[in-house]
Amino acid sequence: MNAGPTHWRRLAVKLAQHAARTLPGARSPWGDAMRRELDYIGDDAAAFRWALGCILTSYRARLTHRPCFNARTAWRQVATMGILMVLIGLALQEHAGGKTEPPRPAFDEAPCDRPNASARIHQRRSDPGVGRPIRSGGEASIDPAHCGADGQSCALGRISPGRPQGEAIQSVRGKDYGGLHRPSGAGTGPVGCRSDDTDPLPPRIPDTPKAR
Amino acid sequence: MRLDRKSTYVDYQIMPRKPNSSRQTRALLAALLERSRAWRHGYDLAKETGLKSGTLYPLLMRLSEQGLLESRWQEAERPGLPPRHVYRLTASGMALAREQELAALEAETAGALA
C-alpha cells in the first residue's frame, strides 16, 4: 500500500518551490537544484528541514543582491523621509497649534423662561439706584417698578433685601453668584426660575453689579 | 590602550581575513577533495559535512562564482525522479583545498609539538 505524501512533505515542497522563486534570476538554477534534491530525501522531517534551509538561502541571497542599495539611493530615501516629516509637522502645527486655552465646561442653560434682566440693567445703569450698595439688614436697592407684574419674573428682585453686605451665597453648585439668591415667596424652584420650574441650575447674569 | 581610527585601519590592512577560511568552507572543501574526481550531490555533501542546506548552498554558490567548483545536471539513475545538480572541484579548487588541508595539518602538528 503506497501512502500519499504527508503533510510535512507537501509543506516542504511548497517551501522549496517558494525558495526557488525567491532566488534572484542569475541564481535560479540553484533554486531548482535545492528543490529537486527534496525528491531524494526519504525522511519527511529531514525534507522539511532541508526546505527551511532553502528558504533561508534564498532570502539571504535576495537581500545581499539588492542592486539598488547604494549610498546615493540611501541618501535619497533619507531626504524624502525628512521632507515628509517636515510636511507632516507643519500640517499638525497648522491644525493643532494655538489651542492653549483649555476647553470650557458646558454650562447647562435652564429651560425656563427667564426675563432678559441684563437689558434692563443696561438701561438702568445711569440710575443711581442700581449701583447703590445694599445696606446691611436693610432694603434692596431695586426699584420695584422694574419688576414684572407677578413679582417673580423680575430678575433684579433676586438681590436679597435682607442679606448682609459682603456675604456670599452659595448656589446649589457651590459657587458664589455675588449676592444672588432666591426671591422671597418664589416657591421651591431653583434660583432664576419660576416656582413651576424644576431646573436646578442658577441663572447667569453677568452684567449685574455685585454688592460691595 | 587607546586605538584611534588610523591604527585600526592599519591593523585591518596588515591582517586581512583570508577568503574561504571558515570552518564550514574548509569542511566542504575537504569533503570534495576526498573524492575529487566524483560528482557529488548536495544532500550527500550535507550528510557528510553535517552542514544544513541553509549553510551548504550559499557556500556552493560562492565557490562556483569564484571558479573553484563546477556543477552540472545529472540524469536520475531511477526513472520518475528529476535530474540532480552535482558538483566537483575545479583544478584551482583542488589546489586551494590541498593548501588548506596542508595548513590545517601543519597547525595540528605545531599544536601537538607545543
Side-chain angles (χ1 to χ4, degrees):
Chain A
M1 187 174 117
N2 188 14
T6 62
H7 177 71
W8 291 108
R9 171 70 64 171
R10 286 196 297 269
L11 188 59
V13 170
K14 293 284 184 188
L15 287 176
Q17 287 173 350
H18 175 70
R21 284 195 302 267
T22 307
L23 269 177
R27 291 186 170 182
S28 56
W30 290 96
D32 289 336
M34 291 187 292
R35 182 172 57 83
R36 291 178 181 180
E37 203 70 24
L38 267 183
D39 296 331
Y40 294 91
I41 302 175
D43 188 13
D44 289 347
F48 183 71
R49 287 195 297 270
W50 184 270
L52 286 180
C54 296
I55 288 283
L56 186 65
T57 302
S58 60
Y59 274 89
R60 195 180 293 168
R62 168 72 70 165
L63 288 175
T64 54
H65 282 78
R66 288 182 63 184
C68 61
F69 190 77
N70 52 21
R72 188 175 180 180
T73 309
W75 166 246
R76 192 177 301 169
Q77 289 177 354
V78 168
T80 305
M81 285 178 60
I83 291 171
L84 279 176
M85 289 179 70
V86 168
L87 288 176
I88 290 171
L90 287 175
L92 287 176
Q93 190 178 14
E94 187 172 341
H95 285 283
K99 290 186 177 178
T100 56
E101 188 177 354
R104 296 180 178 176
F107 194 86
D108 296 330
E109 292 289 341
C112 62
D113 186 18
R114 294 192 199 93
N116 189 4
S118 59
R120 296 183 184 179
I121 291 172
H122 280 299
Q123 291 174 0
R124 296 286 298 166
R125 269 184 176 170
S126 58
D127 191 349
V130 174
R132 194 171 59 196
I134 301 174
R135 291 186 297 273
S136 176
E139 68 216 46
S141 60
I142 303 299
D143 190 356
H146 296 287
C147 295
D150 54 354
Q152 295 178 357
S153 60
C154 178
L156 298 178
R158 293 172 193 147
I159 300 175
S160 171
R163 177 67 58 185
Q165 183 177 1
E167 181 181 347
I169 299 175
Q170 297 297 319
S171 71
V172 291
R173 288 190 174 180
K175 293 180 180 179
D176 186 7
Y177 285 91
L180 296 180
H181 81 124
R182 188 188 315 280
S184 59
T188 57
V191 176
C193 297
R194 294 189 192 93
S195 57
D196 54 348
D197 294 330
T198 55
D199 190 0
L201 297 176
R204 184 169 56 187
I205 308 173
D207 294 332
T208 303
K210 293 184 178 181
R212 295 181 181 176
Chain B
M1 177 182 165
R2 184 174 176 272
L3 290 176
D4 56 3
R5 190 170 183 171
K6 185 177 180 181
S7 65
T8 306
Y9 174 72
V10 169
D11 288 342
Y12 277 119
Q13 286 297 312
I14 290 172
M15 293 192 304
R17 185 174 179 268
K18 287 180 67 176
N20 302 319
S21 61
S22 67
R23 182 178 57 83
Q24 293 89 351
T25 308
R26 281 190 275 114
L28 178 61
L29 288 174
L32 287 168
L33 185 64
E34 192 176 347
R35 285 181 283 168
S36 58
R37 294 296 169 188
W39 291 95
R40 309 291 300 273
H41 307 117
Y43 187 53
D44 297 336
L45 288 170
K47 282 196 295 187
E48 187 173 339
T49 58
L51 298 175
K52 307 291 183 188
S53 61
T55 307
L56 174 68
Y57 273 91
L59 290 179
L60 291 175
M61 291 179 201
R62 196 176 69 207
L63 292 177
S64 178
E65 288 171 356
Q66 291 173 354
L68 303 173
L69 190 77
E70 57 180 338
S71 60
R72 69 178 179 91
W73 289 99
Q74 187 182 55
E75 288 298 324
E77 298 171 355
R78 288 183 295 169
L81 288 175
R84 297 178 90 173
H85 215 212
V86 290
Y87 319 95
R88 74 177 181 185
L89 287 174
T90 60
S92 55
M94 278 193 276
L96 176 67
R98 286 197 184 98
E99 182 184 337
Q100 287 196 352
E101 195 177 37
L102 188 62
L105 190 63
E106 286 177 356
E108 189 178 347
T109 306
L113 290 176

